[in-house]
């Protein structure tokens, strides 16, 4: 189990890094959208490439951050049943969900998504819109995003099993991190206390 927990930690690190940078894709999509709107209004010009790159970036951010979102337990849940269960019961619901629902769905999407991406790459498929972009970069996000989601699902599965075995703390509890302002206030308070105790 310790080897699996190391694997889980590595997956958590990977999706944390991906999540940190995926957010910038949303900003890029928003900026491109704004610039495109301004250019269209001021100069009566537009480009399908600008429209498509917005969609590509948004799709990439959504797909690449799916594992990060699962890591932070932020996916939409319907807790009508599990909210009435004990903590161990809720963990078992997660285990069943990761093993028998998330894993097969991700595997099926990868089974069809990888050949779909390869075919688009080999054919050099282009958008049918005038001035449109090549399609394979956005097709690549499907296997990449679902691979990250699948790995994170396995990481969460490992952590739930380890929790039931008493090896780790409850992985579903959110750790509340202090903001920089709270850390600064805490440092000032500690410094003031140390000066007071020195006097």
């Amino acid at each position: 189990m310790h080897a699996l927990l190391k694997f889980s930690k590595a997956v958590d690190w990977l999706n944390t890094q991906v999540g940190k940078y995926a957010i910038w894709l949303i900003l890029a999509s928003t900026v491109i959208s704004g610039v495109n709107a301004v250019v269209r209004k001021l100069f009566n010009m537009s480009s399908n490439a600008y429209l498509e790159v917005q969609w590509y970036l948004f799709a990439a951010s959504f797909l690449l951050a799916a594992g990060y979102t699962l890591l932070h337990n932020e996916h939409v849940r319907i807790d009508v049943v599990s909210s009435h269960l004990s903590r161990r019961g809720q963990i078992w619901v997660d285990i069943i969900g990761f093993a028998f629902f998330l894993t097969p769905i991700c595997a099926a999407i990868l089974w069809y998504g990888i050949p779909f991406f390869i075919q688009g790459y080999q054919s050099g498929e282009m958008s049918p819109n005038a001035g449109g972009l090549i399609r394979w970069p956005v097709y690549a996000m499907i296997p990449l995003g679902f691979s990250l989601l699948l790995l994170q699902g396995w990481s969460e599965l490992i952590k739930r099993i380890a929790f039931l075995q008493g090896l780790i703390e409850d992985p579903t509890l959110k750790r509340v991190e202090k903001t920089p302002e709270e850390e600064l206030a805490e440092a000032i308070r500690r410094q003031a206390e140390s000066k007071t105790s020195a006097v």
Side-chain angles (χ1 to χ4, degrees):
M1 182 53 83
H2 291 291
L4 290 174
L5 284 170
K6 281 185 179 178
F7 168 77
S8 172
K9 189 173 182 180
V11 170
D12 291 353
W13 178 86
L14 173 63
N15 271 313
T16 297
Q17 298 309 306
V18 171
K20 280 182 187 177
Y21 295 105
I23 189 71
W24 292 102
L25 299 175
I26 296 174
L27 176 63
S29 177
T30 305
V31 168
I32 290 168
S33 176
V35 169
N36 193 32
V38 169
V39 168
R40 189 171 58 245
K41 292 291 182 186
L42 292 180
F43 304 106
N44 198 25
M45 293 170 51
S46 185
S47 166
N48 285 326
Y50 288 137
L51 293 173
E52 290 182 8
V53 79
Q54 291 170 222
W55 306 335
Y56 286 17
L57 291 171
F58 185 76
S61 67
F62 175 80
L63 288 164
L64 294 177
Y68 176 82
T69 306
L70 182 59
L71 169 63
H72 292 281
N73 203 21
E74 293 292 339
H75 281 281
V76 175
R77 289 173 170 263
I78 301 175
D79 293 333
V80 175
V81 175
S82 66
S83 62
H84 299 293
L85 299 174
S86 67
R87 191 75 211 107
R88 288 181 71 83
Q90 292 174 350
I91 293 293
W92 272 108
V93 167
D94 284 351
I95 288 171
I96 291 167
F98 293 137
F100 299 107
F101 293 95
L102 181 68
T103 296
I105 287 171
C106 287
I109 291 172
L110 288 172
W111 179 263
Y112 292 104
I114 292 171
F116 183 66
F117 156 66
I118 291 170
Q119 180 183 356
Y121 177 76
Q122 290 176 339
S123 68
E125 181 181 346
M126 297 288 295
S127 167
N129 299 318
L133 304 175
I134 55 172
R135 290 280 174 92
W136 68 261
V138 76
Y139 292 167
M141 295 302 109
I142 298 169
L144 189 55
F146 277 93
S147 293
L148 291 168
L149 181 60
L150 179 60
L151 288 172
Q152 192 60 50
W154 289 344
S155 173
E156 298 304 315
L157 179 61
I158 290 164
K159 288 186 278 190
R160 301 309 192 272
I161 293 169
F163 169 71
L164 291 178
Q165 293 178 350
L167 299 175
I168 62 170
E169 294 180 15
D170 187 348
T172 63
L173 295 178
K174 289 189 178 181
R175 313 284 188 263
V176 179
E177 295 181 7
K178 292 182 179 179
T179 65
E181 292 82 8
E182 290 171 327
E183 289 179 359
L184 178 62
E186 184 71 19
I188 292 170
R189 185 187 62 75
R190 281 195 306 267
Q191 188 176 24
E193 286 176 357
S194 65
K195 285 181 180 178
T196 305
S197 61
V199 175

